[in-house]
Amino acid sequence: MELNSSKKNILITPLNWGLGHATRCIPIIIALLHNNYTPIIASDGHALVLLKKEFPTLLALELPSYQIEYSKKGRNLKWNLLRNVFKTIKAIKKEKKIIDKWIKQYNINALISDNRLGVYSNEIPSVYITHQLNVLSGNSTWFTSKIHQKIIRKHTECWIPDFEENPNLTGKLGHLSRTDLKLNYIGPLSRLQKRNVEIKYDLMIVLSGPEPQRGLLEEKLKTEAQNYSGQVVFVKGIVQKDQITEQVENLTYYNFMNSSQLEQAFNESEIILSRSGYTTIMDVAKLEKKVFFIPTPGQCEQEYLAKKLNEDYNIPFSTQKDFNIENIQKAARITGYLKNNYNLDWPKLFEVFEK
């Protein structure tokens, strides 16, 4: 794609940790296009592949991988991340140098970083997207939160995809009692729209997240789903060059779906079964769907969100180890839903790029 010199070029860079950071950037990219900006995409791995499929005409660049990996046992997650910390720091330093070069090479006028720590600049407006002002990490939460807030401080503005007041979706993750950070609560982000369509599937299973935990849950749910009598659509969350579908009795498998296919499948499904990742939470809130969550073992953020939404909205959840398909009946009995009635003023939000 040739860049248009009459439009401002905005580099948008989601973290490649599962697909959630990339997918919640999709409505931002669409809004940038509608408001006469030229988005440039940059990431790595599955996140980059996904966005290239969604926006094949946009310039897409590759950033260094943070090499984020989960352990097979949830209790080892923190140690596994610490073990890779020097590789991650090296990648972030390399990323910062690349960003400085790209600003001049591609005449970039502003940056949007969704949790990529090396994407910021003192020369042009720089926006940071996160729902984790506090980073939950067990007994090291105070330290990890302060480090993250120090990173946020490097940016012109921080966008939090949640409501500022109660009720909200993130609780203590996305809210501070006192702060001088430049925070802008923009409301939940979802690439999906609610449609009035007939229900086709009794259950939709949608997976994402780093390996090996994504694969471990896939194998468990494949076995459990064989004991489910209703119609099931199973999205594995593996972004590949070609889409692969498989029909096994009442189960329809997809390796991945694009946004329009996901929107259709979500709307056609009675119950959603997924991780309690924040992007999925925003999606089911937008579509007002019944949902059952299985937090990623050892990921404090997802465990906290599942417990909070259970307490606030009676949304059922289970540990990965204890889940069985009969648990789904708890979701079927839900009478209320998460709500996300919010209209974002995109031109006003994008005023930060005119500074």
Side-chain angles (χ1 to χ4, degrees), residues 198-216:
E198 291 186 9
I199 296 298
K200 181 178 179 181
Y201 303 106
D202 300 285
L203 176 63
M204 179 180 184
I205 299 173
V206 56
L207 303 183
S208 67
E211 300 294 354
Q213 287 296 337
R214 188 216 59 82
L216 292 172

Side-chain angles (χ1 to χ4, degrees), residues 21 69 77 102 129 131 142 160 208 221 259 264 269 273 277 287 299 317 322 336 342-344 346 350:
H21 295 279
E69 296 179 358
L77 174 60
W102 284 352
I129 302 174
H131 63 278
W142 183 88
I160 300 121
S208 67
L221 294 181
S259 289
Q264 185 73 14
S269 300
L273 173 61
L287 302 182
Q299 188 172 336
F317 74 97
D322 295 334
Y342 188 83
N343 293 316
L344 182 53
W346 291 106
F350 293 157

Side-chain angles (χ1 to χ4, degrees), residues 153-219:
R153 205 175 297 279
K154 297 178 180 180
H155 296 263
T156 310
E157 192 170 289
C158 177
W159 294 349
I160 300 121
D162 193 10
F163 305 109
E164 184 171 6
E165 307 295 336
N166 285 318
N168 58 63
L169 300 179
T170 60
K172 66 182 180 182
L173 282 178
H175 298 80
L176 300 172
S177 57
R178 290 185 301 174
T179 183
D180 60 351
L181 294 173
K182 295 177 182 178
L183 307 180
N184 189 348
Y185 287 86
I186 65 174
L189 291 171
S190 176
R191 56 178 165 161
L192 309 180
Q193 298 295 325
K194 185 176 174 60
R195 309 290 185 194
N196 292 319
V197 297
E198 291 186 9
I199 296 298
K200 181 178 179 181
Y201 303 106
D202 300 285
L203 176 63
M204 179 180 184
I205 299 173
V206 56
L207 303 183
S208 67
E211 300 294 354
Q213 287 296 337
R214 188 216 59 82
L216 292 172
L217 184 57
E218 177 189 334
E219 292 306 311

Side-chain angles (χ1 to χ4, degrees), residues 109-113 119-129 151-152 154-159 352-353:
N109 302 104
L111 303 172
I112 301 176
S113 166
V119 181
Y120 62 92
S121 173
N122 295 324
E123 306 300 322
I124 59 176
S126 175
V127 169
Y128 191 74
I129 302 174
I151 291 164
I152 293 170
K154 297 178 180 180
H155 296 263
T156 310
E157 192 170 289
C158 177
W159 294 349
V352 66
F353 303 141

Side-chain angles (χ1 to χ4, degrees), residues 15-31:
L15 178 65
N16 178 38
W17 183 321
L19 298 177
H21 295 279
T23 57
R24 73 184 184 189
C25 284
I26 289 174
I28 298 175
I29 295 170
I30 293 171

Side-chain angles (χ1 to χ4, degrees), residues 76-94:
N76 295 333
L77 174 60
K78 189 189 297 187
W79 166 245
N80 209 50
L81 294 175
L82 285 172
R83 190 177 60 185
N84 290 330
V85 69
F86 293 109
K87 291 181 181 179
T88 302
I89 291 172
K90 184 178 179 181
I92 292 167
K93 288 181 177 179
K94 184 178 179 181

